Amino acid sequence: MSLRNLFNKRASAPTARDRLQLILAHERAGAGGSDLVMLLREEILAVIAKHVTVERDKVQIRLERGKDMSTLGVDIELPVTAAPKPPAKPPAKVPAKASSKRAAA
Amino acid sequence: MTHAPPSRRSVKLRGRAFKALVLAPEAPLPDWFADLDASLKRSPTLLDGRPLILDIAALAPDPDVLGKLLADLGTRRIRILGIEGAAASLSGTASLDGLTLPPLLVGGRPASSIEIPADADPETTSLMIEGSVRSGQSIVHHTGDVTVMGSVASGAEILAGGSIHVYGALRGRAIAGAARNPRARIYCRKFEPELLGIDRLVRTAEDMGTTLRGKPVQIWLDSGSIKMATLD
Amino acid sequence: MAKVLVVTSGKGGVGKTTTTAALGAALAQAGQSVAVVDFDVGLRNLDLVMGAERRVVYDLINVVNGDAKLNQALIRDKRLENLSLLPASQTRDKDALTDEGVAKVMDELREKFDWVICDSPAGIERGATLAMRHADLAVVVTNPEVSSVRDSDRIIGLLDSKTLKAERGEIMEKHLILTRYDPARADRGDMLKVDDVLEILSIPLLAIIPESLEVLRASNVGCPVTMNNPLSAPARAYIDAVRRLKGDPVPMTVPSDKKSLLNKLFTRRAA
């Protein structure tokens, strides 16, 4: 760790600038209420809720905002009764991954 | 075109009655003032905030004496609302050059006496603060001494009717004798105050010099000015 | 059952967020399960300093309002799995935090973690008093500079009066972390000395964090300084602080980066 830090002389300020540009672009877009990722999250949940009763705390949502692409991962634990074939082991995890292309602002 | 006279509403005048305290000076005036001073020493707030009427029927002073009487009362911060029992000679203002008299009143009726604090001091209690008084905190204790075991921070203040004792550093404001008690004192183990006050006399840090800084100090009032000295 | 620690200061810009991230990471590096909670609603920054800003889905206010469950809003650190962040909302204002809602979230956090570290906003308004309200102990972050010291004194007064612990008549445990300390300037007499600050604030010293470029570097890259460069002076100071918090009697020193590179390398090897 220290060796890498000592010899890797890459300055940290460019990293700071890149991180800020990226997050500010997302925040500015989100301030207008047009945050695509958040919209998708809500709509995906709504669609699934039409077919199965989903407990909100059985839903894990992961988000990774990127420069050219953000990924949204929605893990929903479907109740045993909703599955066509009841699995022997813990409730099936149905990963519903949605990726949304985003242009850098 | 004729202008209609502007309509004016009549000013409403209403009556209101207050109970006032009556001060009736007697000759010889120096003796009477000595008695008054003794009463004020016993209860410093005796006349605070009360409407006061000066009854001069017994004294029957001439304008000069009346002027001096009012001035002497003024030095004791006693303000007179009105004068009762003035002789007819006084009602002509011509003889009162340069003297602004309170209104002359007639027709006062005796009222049940106003509660006056007994001879004894109002109950004094002391307040003990185990820790420190932090910046932005204010301790107000009108009825006695305040003792702080810790320090009084910059930006904190203590206001006490009696004396103030600070066993740590005094860095904030300390105002002792707030109930008109010129005998109140301030003691601190480390002297770095922003402001000191005793009996409405105040001194800011700028006027204190640096010789006492950091030392154990007592502060008291001597003939109208704040004195400070080390305790060692 | 967690210990709830509030990091507070009164004055802004003295290093509360850096300290929250560093203490949280150092505790997690020592094997504790830790949640760091950003109370600076409307001006969140802890997510940036922790490097989790691109992964925020829900925030403290969503949990307080019941829009999301706590475990949906907690963001697990990518480097340390026993370190989680509960971010503040960037778009709402602090009035959205209700007393009851915050109390409920704090209770739930207490159940889940060993340590809950609350990053207080600057000032003495509602956000700051809410952040300290449920704390078991407080870390007061102060710069050796007159306005910071006075503001810290003010905050100590609030810790002793506005917290649940104070209202129950208990003593709030308070520790001082002195940040941006420059021994050379203090020696020259251009900076308040440690003893001056301690005497004025009269609370025990937890750590002296030397002024260091490493703090800036760590926030630039979004990694708590104790993880980004654990051998740097500020990291060592924070790691010592955590050992003291856990009850180890660690002698108080001001760690320094001002060694030659070779010297530094060799001491590392030896250690």
Side-chain angles (χ1 to χ4, degrees), chain C residues 18-257:
Chain C
T18 301
T19 297
T20 303
L23 291 180
L27 279 163
Q29 285 165 295
Q32 307 273 298
S33 73
V34 183
V36 289
V37 184
D38 193 347
F39 270 85
D40 203 346
V41 176
L43 288 171
R44 77 166 172 229
N45 277 321
L46 189 55
D47 56 333
L48 271 174
V49 174
M50 300 286 293
E53 75 278 4
R54 297 185 302 130
R55 298 198 287 140
V56 176
V57 182
Y58 294 111
D59 55 50
L60 174 61
I61 289 191
N62 292 135
V63 183
V64 165
N65 290 348
D67 305 333
K69 298 283 182 195
L70 180 61
N71 62 8
Q72 293 173 314
L74 284 167
I75 302 171
R76 189 169 284 188
D77 192 273
K78 282 191 163 173
R79 299 146 297 206
L80 281 170
E81 64 159 18
N82 50 340
L83 175 62
S84 294
L85 162 72
L86 182 56
S89 170
Q90 182 73 340
T91 49
R92 308 287 291 275
D93 67 66
K94 60 186 179 301
D95 298 333
L97 288 178
T98 60
D99 285 355
E100 307 75 39
V102 171
K104 202 164 153 280
V105 175
M106 295 308 292
D107 284 347
E108 220 177 317
L109 284 166
R110 260 180 214 278
E111 296 290 325
K112 279 185 198 289
F113 295 93
D114 298 329
W115 288 86
V116 178
I117 304 184
C118 304
D119 185 18
S120 169
I124 53 169
E125 311 298 325
R126 188 172 156 72
T129 49
L130 265 178
M132 67 170 67
R133 185 140 185 85
H134 299 270
D136 301 313
L137 70 164
V139 165
V140 178
V141 181
T142 305
N143 288 169
E145 182 267 324
V146 285
S147 59
S148 172
V149 174
R150 187 202 260 189
D151 290 357
S152 292
D153 193 82
R154 181 93 213 255
I155 279 292
I156 294 169
L158 295 183
L159 286 167
D160 286 335
S161 60
K162 298 270 162 135
T163 52
L164 285 175
K165 217 170 171 186
E167 284 172 11
R168 289 195 300 260
E170 296 166 30
I171 306 275
M172 169 69 80
E173 186 183 332
K174 298 172 289 282
H175 300 275
L176 180 72
I177 288 191
L178 199 60
T179 50
R180 315 199 70 158
Y181 189 74
D182 185 335
R185 271 186 231 167
D187 286 347
R188 283 201 307 272
D190 292 332
M191 183 181 263
L192 280 172
K193 287 187 189 295
V194 178
D195 287 346
D196 297 338
V197 180
L198 286 178
E199 204 239 303
I200 292 170
L201 295 179
S202 56
I203 59 172
L205 181 64
L206 185 64
I208 302 165
I209 314 297
E211 171 86 70
S212 166
L213 200 54
E214 287 301 326
V215 171
L216 183 62
R217 286 205 180 113
S219 86
N220 277 347
V221 299
C223 181
V225 67
T226 52
M227 275 196 265
N228 194 49
N229 186 356
L231 299 173
S232 64
R236 282 182 284 147
Y238 279 119
I239 289 165
D240 282 353
V242 156
R243 290 174 58 194
R244 291 184 195 107
L245 274 180
K246 290 168 70 191
D248 291 357
V250 184
M252 186 66 66
T253 54
V254 187
S256 166
D257 279 327

